[in-house]
Amino acid sequence: MAITFKSVSYTYQPNTPFEFHALNEISTKIEDGSFTALIGHTGSGKSTFLQHLNALLKPTSGTVLIEDATITHETSNKNLKPLRKKVGIVFQFPEKQLFADTVKKDIAFGPENFGSTPEEAGKLAKKMIELVGLPVSLLDRSPFELSGGQMRRVAIAGVLAMQPNVLVLDEPTAGLDPSGRQEIMHLFTSLQQSQHFTIVLVTHQMEDVANYANHVIVMEHGKIVKEGRPREVFADVEWLHDKQLDVPASTEFAFEMVKRGFHFDKLPLTEQELADDIAAMFKRRRRSNE
Amino acid sequence: MNKLLFGRYIPQDSFVHHMDPRAKLVLSFLYVIVIFFANNWWIYLLMTVVALLSIWASKINFKLFVDGILPLIWIIAFTMLIQVLFGTGGHLYWQWGIFSVTSLGILNAAYIFVRFTLIILISTLLTLSTSPIQISDAIESLLKPLEKVHFPVYEVALMLSIALRFVPTLMDETESIMNAQRARGVDFGTGNIVQRIKKIIPILIPLFVSAFNRAEDLATAMEARGYQGGAGRTKYRLLKWGTRDTIATLIYLLMTVVVFALRFC
């Protein structure tokens, strides 16, 4: 399901002293089945952008096309529910949205809102809790008895249970330990491969961007300042540093090597690429020595 | 929520902003009390001039004050309507059963309109020009004498300043929880009254849980930084009475005296 932005602007509290222009003439397209990473400094408008993806916010000017539905500032709030089923958002610290007395009811809450019967929703809850890697025995426990990491997974399961076509993730791994981070990211990528999701990920982890994304959007002051494949975006290390953004550690390492006189055809993005490039360099050197 | 101006603070560099918050609080109270003694147009004119002068001295855009009054216009209109329909005395224009429109009734309605407007103007001026933390400092300082009767002034002030500090945080949190539940298919603002009330549960429970967690974290953090209660603490923000406070007080006292003279002589 493709989502297109056509010169979208958004202003918070217009015509008051607290007026704030969060988005400024944004135009971009999120392709069907793509893995888009959204990066940018804090306060660059990423979260505002996300809330346009399922019409939680409506543009002050411009239009958002979610598949064939057109959202402008005139769109009424009435018929947005079907859109919200298609675009699931996992907000930052999603464990804060848990409220039901059992994990099962909480996961089933989304599907039931979209018209599933309690039995169907219950079955979905069982399927989803296994999908996010938690034991089925947790279903009858209270979500507030769980650990932070488990709560996060339950909240994600609650969004996945709506069976969306587009999955929007706002820093899903913030505050998790390294193994938890890897597991969660692995879950999302395997979901994308098996069920052909479209994923939009907001993150400050450039390794995740390099490893998983095929489309990167860089935002600054409510504008898109760069867009393209990860390799294109990460090619200009100094420009990113200038925008107070990081590059993957491997790219940074390679960049430091370049400063000391090494040469890479293309700056590597992942550890694997870096290792391969360095191995190739050694081979070449040995050959020239012989 | 966006339009709500009440309780908002707009930082500026002005006469009113640099006043002692105690002076502002007391003078606002004085103003509200004095306005209930007003019974003729001369008094209202004088008090309007004082209010406008105070607003001018705050350098805050007057349009904001109008925005502050607009949400309350229905309450004002309703009160005026009651006055007009049930007023007695003076020339009788129209009567039907218990309803009657009289000249005194209309006059009273007009008074009420002015009274409401002026009270809202002055209280909005207080909140727009004084940060919440200053207001709680002022209240603490003004309640100090009550310590003699073992009233827990310090504790009340502490609770007040913590509460004020977390109002915007909790508002943001409510907003983000609402968004999260909306994304999960909750449609706030549709359905009958019972359905609507049920939809509040997925907001209230997370909000309470997070408030409990927050309270626990805050208490731990305070203890870790050596907080042991009110006794023996010094203050970082000191309130200081300045010349401008004396000037403002004199103007308001003069106004009070003139109002009483116009009313009782």
Side-chain angles (χ1 to χ4, degrees), chain A residues 20 32-33 42 49 57 62 66 69 85 125 135 150-151 177 185 190 213 220 232 237-238 263 269 274 290:
Chain A
F20 178 69
D32 192 15
T42 314
F49 181 88
L57 294 178
I66 306 175
K85 187 190 180 318
Q150 287 173 324
M151 282 169 85
D177 57 51
M185 284 313 298
S190 62
E220 194 189 30
E232 294 157 20
V237 178
E238 271 159 343
H263 172 77
L269 295 183
L274 177 68
E290 274 165 10

Side-chain angles (χ1 to χ4, degrees), chain A residues 13 15 17-18 51 54 56 77-78 81 84 89 91 96-99 106 109-110 113-114 144 158 162, chain B residues 2 5 8-10 63-64 173 177 179-187 201-202 205-206 209-210 214:
Chain A
Q13 307 197 23
N15 305 321
F18 313 102
Q51 290 179 46
N54 73 347
L56 281 175
N77 279 325
K78 286 225 170 93
K81 232 174 147 174
R84 303 220 168 118
I89 299 194
F91 283 95
K96 281 192 175 175
Q97 74 195 33
L98 301 177
F99 72 97
D106 208 292
F109 180 68
N113 280 330
F114 291 116
F144 300 109
M162 295 165 18
Chain B
N2 280 354
L5 199 67
R8 275 298 202 25
Y9 169 61
I10 301 180
K63 199 184 153 291
L64 278 179
E173 196 145 323
I177 292 171
N179 274 339
Q181 306 299 25
R182 253 193 218 124
R184 291 210 284 167
V186 183
D187 217 347
I201 296 173
I205 293 180
V209 170
S210 113
R214 207 181 282 280

Side-chain angles (χ1 to χ4, degrees), chain B residues 21-56:
Chain B
R22 286 172 297 185
K24 282 192 270 188
L25 202 61
V26 171
L27 292 181
S28 305
F29 268 111
L30 176 73
Y31 188 93
V32 172
I33 292 165
V34 169
I35 205 158
F36 283 104
F37 285 94
N39 67 346
N40 67 58
W41 286 114
W42 288 112
I43 300 184
Y44 282 120
L45 181 68
L46 170 70
M47 297 199 69
T48 308
V49 169
V50 172
L52 291 179
L53 190 76
S54 310
I55 289 171
W56 172 76

Side-chain angles (χ1 to χ4, degrees), chain A residues 3 5 26-31 34-41 44 46 49 53 199-203 206 209 213-220 223-230 233-234 239-240 245:
Chain A
I3 300 179
F5 280 60
I26 297 261
S27 296
T28 184
K29 185 170 183 191
I30 288 157
E31 300 283 351
S34 68
F35 192 127
T36 302
L38 193 58
I39 58 176
H41 204 239
S44 56
K46 305 185 297 281
F49 181 88
L53 293 171
I199 292 188
V200 180
L201 169 76
V202 170
T203 186
M206 297 305 157
V209 178
N214 52 30
H215 182 208
V216 184
I217 298 175
V218 188
M219 289 187 68
E220 194 189 30
K223 284 188 186 139
I224 293 181
V225 284
K226 204 167 218 174
E227 190 176 4
R229 310 206 130 259
V233 171
F234 288 132
W239 181 84
L240 281 162
L245 289 170

Side-chain angles (χ1 to χ4, degrees), chain B residues 10-156:
Chain B
I10 301 180
Q12 284 268 13
D13 181 25
S14 81
F15 185 92
V16 178
H17 282 80
H18 289 294
M19 274 174 67
D20 189 316
R22 286 172 297 185
K24 282 192 270 188
L25 202 61
V26 171
L27 292 181
S28 305
F29 268 111
L30 176 73
Y31 188 93
V32 172
I33 292 165
V34 169
I35 205 158
F36 283 104
F37 285 94
N39 67 346
N40 67 58
W41 286 114
W42 288 112
I43 300 184
Y44 282 120
L45 181 68
L46 170 70
M47 297 199 69
T48 308
V49 169
V50 172
L52 291 179
L53 190 76
S54 310
I55 289 171
W56 172 76
S58 75
K59 288 187 188 167
I60 297 171
N61 190 347
F62 190 72
K63 199 184 153 291
L64 278 179
F65 290 88
V66 179
D67 289 348
I69 293 171
L70 284 180
L72 300 168
I73 201 81
W74 294 111
I75 299 174
I76 301 176
F78 179 72
T79 324
M80 283 172 71
L81 192 72
I82 298 275
Q83 280 292 329
V84 168
L85 288 180
F86 294 98
T88 50
H91 181 74
L92 186 73
Y93 296 112
W94 178 79
Q95 192 165 27
W96 185 75
I98 53 165
F99 302 109
S100 63
V101 178
T102 66
S103 60
L104 258 186
I106 293 174
L107 186 69
N108 270 332
Y111 281 166
I112 280 184
F113 174 77
V114 180
R115 224 175 251 183
F116 257 117
T117 313
L118 289 180
I119 290 177
I120 295 168
L121 282 184
I122 282 295
S123 45
T124 312
L125 176 64
L126 175 73
T127 54
L128 286 184
S129 69
T130 321
S131 68
I133 200 81
Q134 279 184 314
I135 293 182
S136 79
D137 279 350
I139 291 175
E140 183 186 4
S141 169
L142 291 170
L143 289 180
K144 263 274 146 59
L146 286 181
E147 270 179 352
K148 293 226 168 61
V149 291
H150 301 291
F151 183 79
V153 173
Y154 177 81
E155 280 74 13
V156 169

